[in-house]
Amino acid sequence: MILVCGGAGYIGSHMVRYLREKNKEVLVVDNLRTGHRESVPEDVPLYVGDVRDMSFLKRVFSNNQIDGVIHFCAHSLVAESMEDPLRYYDNNVGGAISLLSVMRDFKVPNIIFSSTAATYGEPKTVPITEDLETVPTNPYGETKLAMEKMFKWADVAYGIHYVALRYFNVAGAYKTGKIGEDHNPETHLIPLLLQVPLGKRKEAYIFGTDYPTSDGTCVRDYIHVMDIVDAHVKALDYLEKGNPSNTFNLGTGQGFSVKEIVDMTGQVTGKPLPTILKERRAGDPAVLVADNKKAKEMLGWEPKHSNIEKMIASAWLWHKNHSEGYYEQEEILCSFKWKRRQTENL
Ligand code: UFG
């Protein structure tokens, strides 16, 4: 049985679907502060609670035979972390402490967890290899780096093996368009751009046009959420085969500027997006592009959805049918007094 912590969030909910497609037994822990109950399939047990609550976690581990953990629970907004760093340390590092403690007590051997390109800060060279210096420029990246280091020492002391996956810019949605990205507030580029054709915003904003890039806007490596979750399955296999703990970049290795993404979003949705040029956003590195050779070679992972137009189209399929995200669905369910999915009781 695989425990997915944060399985009701954007990446976590895609992870759960993917594991179910592969007929793996899954259970979800989520505090539903940013996750959505409706994103978890009916046949997957959902325990509502916080990973920092050790007695809650112990009850989950006592009631289930957990063989491995995939850990997505974290606050992940750079700007918010600059304003309230302690909240980030509390949730991200604090959550990992209690999770690792319970894994140690219940002798669960393997964990895969979300790290980030933000651990590198402003990289000295691109594409970024895993051995590049890690100098985060914000508390979010610092907390993820602190987690990586804590996992390393927990491995040494308790023998809990881990794989840290450093995501670049995750985008796209599940093939059916039934689940997707729903953050409140939304800060990510592609979902914000898609709010323009949805009529929720008049213009797209471009933050910074004086970066040292070909068109002056930031360059990012966009990676499809289904390629991300596929890497987690491969990382779990890697540990289950007895390989040592490790860290891998997850990106396509290809960079696109903000302007290019704006243009392509216009093409995908059928109408050019009006744009407003803004000042740089604080803390944004100019270029973040992954060197993904290590994950390809050691995990046998290959991104299969790298085509950027298709990636945007996959996000569009979700957003155009769920312009209010899961909220709409929750409202409909409530107003019709339909039975909502059950949560597990402990
Ligand atoms: N951007 C705009 N306009 C917008 C929103 C974003 O121009 O309306 C720009 C940003 O300034 C940035 C790029 O689009 O240059 C991508 O921004 P996102 O907010 O979509 O993503 P980030 O690169 O800031 O963040 C992502 C992850 C973080 C992670 C970070 C690593 O979401 O969790 O990569 O650098 F920390």
Side-chain angles (χ1 to χ4, degrees), residues 49-279:
D50 198 296
V51 281
R52 285 167 296 181
D53 179 349
M54 224 183 290
S55 57
F56 159 72
L57 270 190
K58 280 183 179 160
R59 292 197 300 277
V60 173
F61 278 71
S62 309
N63 285 9
N64 298 280
Q65 174 57 49
I66 295 169
D67 307 305
V69 176
I70 305 183
H71 180 43
F72 294 101
C73 307
H75 293 325
S76 60
L77 300 179
V78 170
E80 190 183 65
S81 78
M82 298 288 280
E83 281 160 24
D84 197 353
L86 293 182
R87 187 163 163 255
Y88 272 64
Y89 276 89
D90 178 30
N91 192 47
N92 297 0
V93 180
I97 292 174
S98 46
L99 184 55
L100 283 173
S101 309
V102 177
M103 285 179 68
R104 175 199 56 202
D105 295 350
F106 284 80
K107 300 191 175 16
V108 177
N110 298 324
I111 180 164
I112 314 299
F113 85 99
S114 328
S115 188
T116 168
T119 52
Y120 296 109
E122 186 79 56
K124 292 210 176 83
T125 53
V126 275
I128 300 169
T129 49
E130 288 83 350
D131 55 5
L132 215 67
E133 216 183 354
T134 43
V135 194
T137 50
N138 54 65
Y140 166 61
E142 285 287 5
T143 59
K144 288 284 174 165
L145 190 58
M147 286 166 72
E148 287 190 9
K149 290 180 178 169
M150 189 164 65
F151 278 90
K152 182 183 98 178
W153 294 114
D155 184 356
V156 172
Y158 319 124
I160 300 173
H161 302 304
Y162 71 92
V163 167
L165 296 172
R166 292 180 177 161
Y167 308 161
F168 282 65
N169 288 59
V170 188
Y174 194 65
K175 58 191 172 204
T176 58
K178 291 229 162 79
I179 56 169
E181 191 167 5
D182 179 7
H183 296 121
N184 188 14
E186 188 52 77
T187 63
H188 295 107
L189 180 64
I190 294 174
L192 280 175
L193 296 181
L194 292 172
Q195 289 183 2
V196 177
L198 285 174
K200 295 173 79 183
R201 294 168 72 88
K202 282 206 179 79
E203 302 97 357
Y205 292 165
I206 296 182
F207 295 135
T209 51
D210 58 348
Y211 285 97
T213 59
S214 58
D215 63 17
T217 66
C218 285
V219 169
R220 292 289 181 273
D221 180 337
Y222 295 87
I223 172 86
H224 197 284
V225 64
M226 295 314 293
D227 284 328
I228 289 276
V229 298
D230 181 49
H232 288 67
V233 171
K234 296 200 157 69
L236 206 50
D237 286 348
Y238 163 92
L239 289 183
E240 281 167 0
K241 282 183 189 139
N243 290 302
S245 296
N246 219 326
T247 302
F248 299 97
N249 285 338
L250 294 184
T252 63
Q254 217 188 336
F256 293 95
S257 74
V258 173
K259 273 193 181 154
E260 286 174 322
I261 297 291
V262 170
D263 290 347
M264 277 182 281
T265 304
Q267 282 164 27
V268 167
T269 58
K271 218 165 136 195
L273 306 186
T275 52
I276 297 188
L277 306 181
K278 295 271 197 185
E279 291 297 300

Side-chain angles (χ1 to χ4, degrees), residues 27-46:
L27 68 139
V28 168
V29 158
D30 201 297
N31 65 8
L32 298 181
R33 293 246 174 89
T34 53
H36 305 276
R37 193 184 290 271
E38 283 66 26
S39 70
V40 181
E42 289 282 343
D43 63 346
V44 172
L46 167 64

